[in-house]
């Protein structure tokens, strides 16, 4: 698939350029200013390949962008107001598009027609898009089974030279880099190739790097963030939402006059009330969040818990999710909400920077949610390119929401929703709160200091000392099992201790899902799988421990007073012990309900990049806490 340009003065059908980039450098306005053009990584596309169109002018600002399809099999635009649109060409034929936009206040329009052949694609690079300079970028290729993954070669063709996160990118299905600094909008072009031993197949992909203002030293977000917009443009808070919660110019917490808690508008918020506070990088993300509230929030848990927030931000560059008291908003990784493979393509998949924390310790504490002796949810490999329903993602989303919203209701408990002045900053108000998590730490504190210190290594990246490196799983068992924490992550901070108790409780009482937590060895070497994690100690449903139940009741009564915490906590079942000496997978089946259980040991592992978790079905990462700004 090769690249073509359409100039503003030409409204014509482009033809293939036989492998060259096809850029017409002589297409200039008088005075040397480039005309606005469409760059299409599309001509010659085959069915199954990704198609990308960019509107581009390096010399001036393009605004009020709106893409439309004019002919051909219907496709879905995932970013119709962006400088880039992309879709997977599933049907052969001619496709027509047009884009309207403004330059210096003048409205113009471009059109483009492309032809997709009925030949099936063996390789496709995904997904071309527009990105702010300095923002993280991920590119992925999908291959036919006849092509060898170890034959993959990534090559930059044009644009400012970039440095990959991993310098050895050949053989990787996905590559990662930070968009370079630019003085004007700039196109980057990449080629990916792979072979079947005889023939080599290639595809090209573009990234449009947008120039952005320099980030001030006192900015709350000191690394570039994506361009986002209010999901509801008619929201009464549309003018303040982005500036108050996800913008590199934000340097001071907004006041409640600019962006109050949702509870201040309504203590019984409707779905529309919530959606007035949603900020997204792509329209589909807001659509999916709205579906979640309309169809799956049957007990009104999420709507009630959201009262303690100012906004909900869902963007392709948020990873991992978090709640941030500096803005009063929750920030959700869009990976939790995609339904189609094309939607998933729009999400940056840069690896979690915390993945290597604690690697020099001799133990790990994996966790999982289990329902009827099966994983409550699993991660679908990206190369499968299968769709899913929102119900498929429900448990993962629910766990995330319960956890992050427990934080929100810790900083802004219902007893204090109406005690703040309109001219008070959100951050200042939160810091004067009587934190419920602090009260929990007073009346029922965690005891073990070794676990507290180890948590700083595993979750905050501190360097392990010699004593910590020498701890064996048996040592960790003596530290953890008699204490009052429901999970290793509880030791990360008093705030996390509070939230962990709440999210595990809610998953159990709402969905019948229990959390497993275990202490295992730390496997080393190549091709590690879940079978290599040998359990020294573990429990399913630890919040049912008699000594932990009072802590659970303390939290639930304060986070969500609408439910009968005392009765529900009293009825929590006794934890189930794991079998020491069995591996992580063998400890999945702990009760007698073993019907319809998948034989995970016999499941073929998908092809993965070196940045993905080859330790299939083992999760050691927990949630994320973003540090407060200094002002």
């Amino acid at each position: 698939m090769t690249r073509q340009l359409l100039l503003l003065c030409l409204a014509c059908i482009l033809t293939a350029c036989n492998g060259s980039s096809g850029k017409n450098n002589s297409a200039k306005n008088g005075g040397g200013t480039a005309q606005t053009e469409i760059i299409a990584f599309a001509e010659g596309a085959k069915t199954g390949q990704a198609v990308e169109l960019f509107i581009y002018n390096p010399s001036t600002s393009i605004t009020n962008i709106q893409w439309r399809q004019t002919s051909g099999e219907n496709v879905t635009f995932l970013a119709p107001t962006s400088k880039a649109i992309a879709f997977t060409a599933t049907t052969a034929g001619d496709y027509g598009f047009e884009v309207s936009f403004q330059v210096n206040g003048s409205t113009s329009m471009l059109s483009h027609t492309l032809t997709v052949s009925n030949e099936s694609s063996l390789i496709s690079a995904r997904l071309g898009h527009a990105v702010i300079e300095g923002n993280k970028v991920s590119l992925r290729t999908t291959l036919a089974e006849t092509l060898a993954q170890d034959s993959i070669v990534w090559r930059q063709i044009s644009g400012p030279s970039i440095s990959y996160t991993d310098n050895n990118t050949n053989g990787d299905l996905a590559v990662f880099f930070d968009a370079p600094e630019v003085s004007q909008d700039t196109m980057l072009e990449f080629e990916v190739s792979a072979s079947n031993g005889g023939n080599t197949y290639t595809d090209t992909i573009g990234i449009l790097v947008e120039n952005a203002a320099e980030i001030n030293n006192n900015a709350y977000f000191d690394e570039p963030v994506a361009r986002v917009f209010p999901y509801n443009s008619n929201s009464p808070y549309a003018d303040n939402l982005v500036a108050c919660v996800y913008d590199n110019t934000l340097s001071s917490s907004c006041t409640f006059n600019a962006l109050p808690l949702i509870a201040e508008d309504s203590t019984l918020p409707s779905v529309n009330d919530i959606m007035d506070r949603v900020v997204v990088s792509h329209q589909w993300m807001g659509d999916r969040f709205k579906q979640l509230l309309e169809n799956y929030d049957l007990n009104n848990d999420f709507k009630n818990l959201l009262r303690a927030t100012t906004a909900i931000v869902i963007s392709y560059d948020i990873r991992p999710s978090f709640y941030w008291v500096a803005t009063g908003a929750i920030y959700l990784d869009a990976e939790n909400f995609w339904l189609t493979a094309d939607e998933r393509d729009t999400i940056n998949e840069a690896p979690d920077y915390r993945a290597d924390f604690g690697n020099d310790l001799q133990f790990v504490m994996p966790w999982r949610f289990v329902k009827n002796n099966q994983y409550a949810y699993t991660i679908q490999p990206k190369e499968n390119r299968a769709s899913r329903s929102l119900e498929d993602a429900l448990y993962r989303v629910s766990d995330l929401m319960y956890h992050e919203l427990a934080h929100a209701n810790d900083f802004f408990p219902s007893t204090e929703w109406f005690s703040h002045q309109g001219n008070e900053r959100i951050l200042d108000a939160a810091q004067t709160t009587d934190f419920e998590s602090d009260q929990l730490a007073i009346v029922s504190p965690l005891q073990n200091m070794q676990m507290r210190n180890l948590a700083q290594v595993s979750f905050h990246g501190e360097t392990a000392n010699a004593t910590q490196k020498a701890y064996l799983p048996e040592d960790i068992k003596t530290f953890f099992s008699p204490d009052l924490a429901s999970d290793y992550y509880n030791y990360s901070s008093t705030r996390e201790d509070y939230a962990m108790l709440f999210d595990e409780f809610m998953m159990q009482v709402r969905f019948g899902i229990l959390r497993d937590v275990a202490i295992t060895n730390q496997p080393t070497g190549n091709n590690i799988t879940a079978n290599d994690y040998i359990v020294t100690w573990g429990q399913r449903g630890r919040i049912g421990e008699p000594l932990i139940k009072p802590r659970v009741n303390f939290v639930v009564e304060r986070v969500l007073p609408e439910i009968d915490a005392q009765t529900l906590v009293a009825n929590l079942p006794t934890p189930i012990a794991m079998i020491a000496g069995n591996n992580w997978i063998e400890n999945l089946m702990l009760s007698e309900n073993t019907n319809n259980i998948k034989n995970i040991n016999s499941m073929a592992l998908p092809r993965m990049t070196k940045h993905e978790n080859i330790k299939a079905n083992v999760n050691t990462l927990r949630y994320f806490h973003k540090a407060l700004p200094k002002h």
Side-chain angles (χ1 to χ4, degrees):
M1 189 166 57
T2 56
R3 172 167 66 100
Q4 294 289 328
L5 306 183
L6 183 68
L7 303 182
L8 181 60
C9 56
L10 301 176
C12 59
I13 299 175
L14 301 182
T15 57
C17 57
N18 298 319
S20 66
S21 68
K23 180 148 179 131
N24 183 349
N25 292 317
S26 64
K28 304 285 185 181
N29 287 329
T33 301
Q35 291 197 14
T36 306
E37 54 197 14
I38 287 178
I39 301 178
F41 288 80
E43 204 62 44
K46 301 172 183 177
T47 54
Q49 276 187 322
V51 173
E52 295 103 7
L53 301 176
F54 299 86
I55 183 169
Y56 176 67
N57 188 324
S59 301
T60 191
S61 175
I62 305 172
T63 60
N64 295 85
I65 300 166
Q66 184 63 59
W67 292 89
R68 288 174 291 275
Q69 184 178 3
T70 57
S71 64
E73 187 77 16
N74 186 57
V75 301
T76 300
F77 293 155
L78 299 174
T81 60
S82 168
K83 292 179 182 177
I85 59 168
F87 63 94
T88 299
T90 58
T91 305
D94 294 333
Y95 294 78
F97 305 93
E98 65 181 19
V99 57
S100 61
F101 56 94
Q102 287 189 340
V103 174
N104 298 325
S106 177
T107 300
S108 301
M109 183 176 293
L110 290 173
S111 60
H112 179 63
T113 301
L114 62 93
T115 300
V116 175
S117 74
N118 59 10
E119 182 181 354
S120 296
S121 165
L122 296 182
I123 185 171
S124 181
R126 306 173 186 278
L127 188 69
H129 60 281
V131 63
I132 299 295
E133 59 178 332
N135 210 195
K136 296 186 183 302
V137 179
S138 62
L139 301 177
R140 171 173 288 271
T141 184
T142 49
L143 301 179
E145 290 294 333
T146 56
L147 301 185
Q149 181 180 336
D150 60 8
S151 71
I152 294 174
V153 175
W154 290 91
R155 183 170 68 93
Q156 185 177 358
I157 296 175
S158 66
S161 180
I162 58 94
S163 296
Y164 296 105
T165 300
D166 187 330
N167 290 327
N168 181 23
T169 58
N170 293 341
D172 274 359
L173 289 169
V175 293
F176 312 95
F177 60 90
D178 292 339
E181 293 186 7
V182 294
S183 58
Q184 59 185 13
D185 286 7
T186 302
M187 287 297 307
L188 309 181
E189 185 175 359
F190 300 86
E191 178 189 80
V192 62
S193 62
S195 68
N196 57 9
N199 298 318
T200 298
Y201 301 86
T202 65
D203 192 20
T204 57
I205 188 172
I207 295 292
L208 175 58
V209 182
E210 297 184 77
N211 183 34
E214 185 176 351
I215 301 173
N216 293 330
N217 291 333
N218 63 345
Y220 275 22
F221 294 95
D222 54 6
E223 294 186 354
V225 298
R227 295 196 193 279
V228 293
F229 57 90
Y231 176 78
N232 180 7
S233 60
N234 295 319
S235 165
Y237 302 102
D239 293 340
N240 296 331
L241 266 174
V242 172
C244 284
V245 298
Y246 207 54
D247 192 289
N248 286 122
T249 63
L250 178 64
S251 59
S252 179
S253 183
C254 286
T255 67
F256 288 110
N257 282 334
L259 194 62
L261 297 177
I262 291 175
E264 294 187 49
D265 283 346
S266 175
T267 55
L268 295 172
S270 66
V271 172
N272 288 337
D273 291 332
I274 302 297
M275 297 310 297
D276 279 345
R277 306 300 191 95
V278 173
V279 172
V280 294
S281 63
H282 293 70
Q283 183 76 16
W284 69 262
M285 298 173 186
D287 293 341
R288 302 296 174 244
F289 188 74
K290 186 176 183 181
Q291 285 178 258
L292 172 71
L293 297 180
E294 289 178 335
N295 300 325
Y296 298 101
D297 188 23
L298 302 182
N299 296 293
N300 295 318
D301 290 342
F302 301 144
K303 289 189 283 294
N304 286 332
L305 292 167
L306 283 162
R307 293 174 297 189
T309 67
T310 60
I312 303 94
V313 185
I314 313 174
S315 177
Y316 73 84
D317 63 341
I318 293 174
R319 175 161 295 177
S321 304
F322 59 97
Y323 165 79
W324 206 29
V325 70
T327 62
I330 58 169
Y331 298 79
L332 303 177
D333 184 346
E335 176 70 22
N336 295 285
F337 298 99
W338 64 269
L339 299 188
T340 69
D342 279 356
E343 288 176 353
R344 195 180 197 183
D345 286 341
T346 65
I347 305 168
N348 186 280
E349 55 177 291
D352 193 315
Y353 74 94
R354 305 169 298 165
D356 293 331
F357 287 178
N359 274 358
D360 50 358
L361 300 175
Q362 295 194 58
F363 75 95
V364 296
M365 290 190 65
W367 67 276
R368 63 190 168 203
F369 276 117
V370 175
K371 186 177 178 69
N372 297 330
N373 275 330
Q374 299 184 61
Y375 279 82
Y377 56 80
T378 56
I379 306 302
Q380 182 170 291
K382 294 178 176 67
E383 53 270 31
N384 286 357
R385 298 200 60 74
S387 296
R388 68 179 183 182
S389 68
L390 194 55
E391 187 172 5
D392 294 331
L394 177 62
Y395 297 151
R396 182 180 178 184
V397 173
S398 297
D399 170 41
L400 171 66
M401 294 282 285
Y402 285 134
H403 185 92
E404 301 305 340
L405 292 174
H407 286 311
N409 285 272
D410 183 16
F411 283 98
F412 291 106
S414 58
T415 54
E416 300 183 22
W417 285 343
F418 306 104
S419 63
H420 307 297
Q421 301 300 311
N423 60 358
E424 193 174 6
R425 294 196 319 160
I426 296 165
L427 177 58
D428 296 336
Q431 291 178 321
T432 62
T433 292
D434 292 328
F435 297 112
E436 303 293 346
S437 55
D438 286 344
Q439 294 302 309
L440 175 65
I442 292 171
V443 300
S444 183
L446 300 180
Q447 301 293 329
N448 193 275
M449 287 305 300
Q450 290 96 330
M451 294 304 297
R452 288 182 186 274
N453 294 332
L454 286 165
Q456 301 309 304
V457 175
S458 296
F459 305 118
H460 297 282
E462 290 191 8
T463 301
N465 59 39
T467 300
Q468 292 170 326
K469 291 178 182 179
Y471 286 140
L472 297 175
E474 280 291 345
D475 298 315
I476 306 306
K477 173 185 174 181
T478 64
F479 299 154
F480 179 80
S481 60
D483 207 357
L484 304 178
S486 60
D487 185 272
Y488 184 21
Y489 194 58
N490 293 59
Y491 293 98
S492 176
S493 71
T494 56
R495 312 288 179 248
E496 296 300 343
D497 181 29
Y498 192 79
M500 290 295 290
L501 293 166
F502 181 75
D503 81 62
E504 181 173 346
F505 169 84
M506 294 302 295
M507 292 298 288
Q508 187 163 329
V509 300
R510 292 305 194 207
F511 303 113
I513 291 173
L514 285 77
R515 186 198 298 273
D516 283 358
V517 61
I519 301 166
T520 78
N521 59 309
Q522 172 101 261
T524 58
N526 298 322
N527 301 318
I528 297 170
T529 72
N531 297 321
D532 298 311
Y533 291 77
I534 308 302
V535 173
T536 293
W537 175 94
Q539 280 185 322
R540 176 167 298 168
R542 181 164 166 80
I543 58 170
E545 283 283 4
L547 292 177
I548 297 178
K549 280 184 175 183
R551 306 183 85 238
V552 178
N553 188 75
F554 181 98
V555 172
V556 176
E557 285 185 337
R558 287 157 176 79
V559 175
L560 194 58
E562 283 80 4
I563 66 177
D564 182 2
Q566 190 168 2
T567 300
L568 292 171
V569 171
N571 290 328
L572 290 174
T574 301
I576 303 172
M578 289 188 179
I579 301 172
N582 283 3
N583 66 43
W584 183 239
I585 293 300
E586 290 169 335
N587 269 292
L588 182 61
M589 302 180 187
L590 296 181
S591 69
E592 296 178 357
N593 183 8
T594 57
N595 295 328
N596 300 317
I597 294 177
K598 297 177 181 178
N599 184 354
I600 298 179
N601 285 307
S602 67
M603 292 173 62
L605 295 179
R607 296 186 293 179
M608 298 181 179
T609 75
K610 62 173 65 81
H611 295 283
E612 292 177 314
N613 184 14
I614 62 171
K615 306 164 187 177
N617 301 301
V618 176
N619 192 357
T620 58
L621 288 174
R622 268 71 169 185
Y623 305 93
F624 173 66
H625 172 75
K626 185 174 176 63
L628 291 178
K630 297 178 180 179
H631 49 280

